[in-house]
Amino acid sequence: MQVPLLRLQCGVNSYDWGKVGKASAAARFAAATPSGDFSIQEDKPYAELWMGTHPSLPSKDLETQRTLLDLVQDNQALMSTEIGQRYGGKLPFLFKVLSIRKALSIQAHPNKKFAEELHSKDPKNYPDDNHKPEMTIAITPFDGLCGFRPLAEISHYLSAVPSLRKLIGDSAANNFEKAVKGHETSNDEQDLEKNKKALQTAFSALMKCEKSDVSTAAKDLVAAAKEEGESFAGNGGPSNGGQELADLVIRLNSQFEGDIGLFVLFFLNYVKLEVGEAMFLKADDIHAYLSGDIMECMASSDNVVRAGFTPKFQDIPTLTTMLTYSYAPISEQKMNPVDYPYVTLNSVAYSSASSTTLYDPPIEEFSVVKTELKKQGAKATFEAIEGPSIIICTKGQGKVSVGPKVEDMKEGFVYFVGATAELVLESSCDDFTVFKAFCDLTGKEGPKS
């Protein structure tokens, strides 16, 4: 068997919401690896770089042009026998770079059981039978709508945004306010269930509104946003300023005029991530990414249930039925990364404040480590793990080595690293950043015990 370090050629998707031309990190990273049929067109949007074995856009070994799926199925040792058997001979995760110019659809991804049901009933719109929990790490400033707001905030907007209340209807708004009043933050099991039911009823009432009514209400909403500024939406509320929300409404209306999503944003947390910040979305969690460049890692699936900010197929009955209706403040949406313990930094790395940061979501399919080597000659040696990895350089240049094999690592270069391989990264500059997605079922995805 050859040394398990394979340079990958990865495909990029062109969706309307992607950044255009070389402004797209996904496009620049794709262009870093030779490909006979790809060159960046300056007027074309590039949205997602895919790294993995998913059949919709499979990665290939650059040297042999065989798909990564073929290679790992031919040689189970590349993934480990246990991981190969558990995940049907496919890589358990899909690693992506997203470059977002305008809003993605309001969406959620079904849990495993529901994904199987949807795929069985409607394989055209739901091509996968797998769940799709996902993690987002910002590589440029990012904003998005993620998860339902605390209930008191939703009540605030129902009273402070006249066009929202009128659209939902006084009766539905009153019922929601009455149902949650006094126990919006209760942890009592009965209160939680009652609150979630009230939230589902109110949100479903919004999502079922007639398009003509939404369009009329949106004109009133946008007019208020332009006129009121900082006082918009009752001065914004506890999590967002009035001007911030007014600007958001105006921006989203310029992208999707009169869309239901302009009102959905009052139900969802508006979250901003600085570079290096991350959040995890469970299956059945509602979200809509709005702008920025991100690393995204997920279970290997392409299932999406959409309901707003999109010309694509929308399935509002399925979305409103499947959601968890969990509600929490922005702080609970964000992850708390920690130092990765299964790595050794050399003295140059230590003295230059280099770092290896672990993002470990509460699922087994994937974890991600961000390595930042801050000086030429800084080196990070990763202990071997019982599972596969995919690494991508997002900044700077250096070397990657497994055993005797040493390869160049530059911005956009992607490599597959087989199981049980010790991986070494060494910087050739003063700012070398590499992300590594991996699966390990033996405990090396978390803190040392």
Side-chain angles (χ1 to χ4, degrees):
M1 171 62 194
Q2 68 189 100
V3 177
L5 177 66
L6 306 173
R7 185 160 170 207
L8 298 181
Q9 184 181 78
C10 303
V12 63
N13 281 322
S14 176
Y15 301 139
D16 184 55
W17 51 261
K19 290 187 177 181
V20 176
K22 289 176 183 169
S24 167
R28 294 196 310 274
F29 295 168
T33 300
S35 173
D37 58 356
F38 180 73
S39 61
I40 298 175
Q41 298 174 37
E42 281 308 316
D43 58 348
K44 186 173 180 179
Y46 297 97
E48 300 182 341
L49 180 78
W50 284 31
M51 299 168 277
T53 58
H54 196 281
S56 294
L57 195 61
S59 300
K60 296 177 182 177
D61 173 25
L62 179 62
E63 185 178 344
T64 66
Q65 288 296 294
R66 291 182 68 192
T67 67
L68 181 58
L69 180 61
D70 280 346
L71 293 169
V72 298
Q73 289 185 336
D74 270 3
N75 186 349
Q76 281 201 348
L78 286 171
M79 289 209 299
S80 85
T81 303
E82 183 182 3
I83 288 174
Q85 289 175 348
R86 184 173 301 199
Y87 297 105
K90 301 169 187 172
L91 203 65
F93 59 83
L94 178 58
F95 204 19
K96 295 183 182 180
V97 177
L98 269 62
S99 292
I100 305 158
R101 176 178 55 88
K102 70 178 195 176
L104 279 70
S105 57
I106 296 163
Q107 61 185 256
H109 309 296
N111 62 47
K112 186 77 172 81
K113 184 171 182 293
F114 195 39
E116 290 169 356
E117 291 176 19
L118 287 173
H119 177 66
S120 176
K121 289 178 188 172
D122 186 2
K124 177 176 179 286
N125 288 305
Y126 300 107
D128 270 296
D129 63 359
N130 197 19
H131 67 165
K132 193 182 173 187
E134 61 189 29
M135 178 170 66
T136 294
I137 307 169
I139 56 175
T140 64
F142 162 91
D143 68 342
L145 303 172
C146 303
F148 286 103
R149 293 177 181 271
L151 301 182
E153 290 190 27
I154 297 172
S155 292
H156 166 79
Y157 293 125
L158 285 172
S159 64
V161 182
S163 53
L164 173 65
R165 191 178 191 91
K166 183 179 178 183
L167 187 60
I168 289 180
D170 245 341
S171 175
N174 283 330
N175 288 342
F176 173 79
E177 291 161 344
K178 186 177 176 183
V180 304
K181 191 173 177 64
H183 47 85
E184 294 95 335
T185 58
S186 170
N187 290 319
D188 177 80
E189 203 63 43
Q190 283 187 319
D191 286 343
L192 285 169
E193 282 309 307
K194 187 180 173 186
N195 287 348
K196 286 182 180 181
K197 190 67 184 169
L199 178 55
Q200 180 174 8
T201 301
F203 185 69
S204 298
L206 172 64
M207 297 307 293
K208 290 172 183 173
C209 288
E210 293 292 333
K211 280 191 175 180
S212 58
D213 294 336
V214 174
S215 179
T216 300
K219 289 174 183 171
D220 293 339
L221 180 70
V222 173
K226 289 177 177 176
E227 290 167 13
E228 295 171 13
E230 188 55 50
S231 64
F232 178 66
N235 299 310
S239 299
N240 306 114
Q243 188 66 59
E244 180 179 47
L245 286 178
D247 291 345
L248 181 61
V249 165
I250 294 164
R251 168 163 59 115
L252 293 177
N253 187 65
S254 73
Q255 298 172 4
F256 293 94
E257 186 175 357
D259 193 271
I260 188 69
L262 302 177
F263 296 95
V264 171
L265 70 86
F266 295 106
F267 277 78
L268 305 186
N269 284 305
Y270 176 51
V271 58
K272 293 181 176 180
L273 299 181
E274 296 303 322
V275 174
E277 289 191 306
M279 61 186 180
F280 175 69
L281 296 161
K282 302 185 296 294
D284 301 331
D285 273 357
I286 188 169
H287 58 284
Y289 298 161
L290 302 180
S291 71
D293 295 288
I294 59 173
M295 302 302 306
E296 188 179 50
C297 200
M298 64 200 66
S300 189
S301 172
D302 197 23
N303 269 344
V304 184
V305 183
R306 301 179 182 89
F309 289 152
T310 181
K312 294 181 181 178
F313 172 71
Q314 298 187 36
D315 193 346
I316 289 169
T318 296
L319 184 87
T320 54
T321 304
M322 69 182 273
L323 297 174
T324 61
Y325 291 97
S326 296
Y327 48 90
I330 291 169
S331 58
E332 292 186 29
Q333 300 287 328
K334 293 184 180 181
M335 297 183 70
N336 295 305
V338 297
D339 290 340
Y340 182 64
Y342 301 98
V343 63
T344 301
L345 300 179
N346 70 355
S347 59
V348 178
Y350 270 117
S351 65
S352 59
S354 297
S355 62
T356 51
T357 305
L358 173 68
Y359 302 85
D360 183 35
I363 57 166
E364 66 177 22
E365 282 94 336
F366 61 85
S367 302
V368 173
V369 173
K370 178 185 184 183
T371 301
E372 294 181 285
L373 299 179
K374 295 294 190 180
K375 194 170 183 181
Q376 186 173 348
K379 185 186 292 188
T381 303
F382 290 84
E383 294 178 22
I385 59 172
E386 294 293 328
S389 304
I390 286 181
I391 61 173
I392 178 171
C393 173
T394 59
K395 188 189 294 184
Q397 58 187 12
K399 301 283 187 185
V400 55
S401 57
V402 169
K405 190 171 185 179
V406 182
E407 297 278 359
D408 286 332
M409 193 71 172
K410 298 179 181 178
E411 184 179 292
F413 283 26
V414 182
Y415 288 89
F416 173 84
V417 183
T420 72
E422 182 183 85
L423 170 71
V424 181
L425 297 172
E426 183 171 0
S427 182
S428 304
C429 63
D430 291 339
D431 198 0
F432 180 48
T433 302
V434 174
F435 285 87
K436 165 179 142 127
F438 66 99
C439 178
D440 179 271
L441 304 178
T442 67
K444 282 192 175 179
E445 81 291 352
K448 281 188 176 177
S449 48

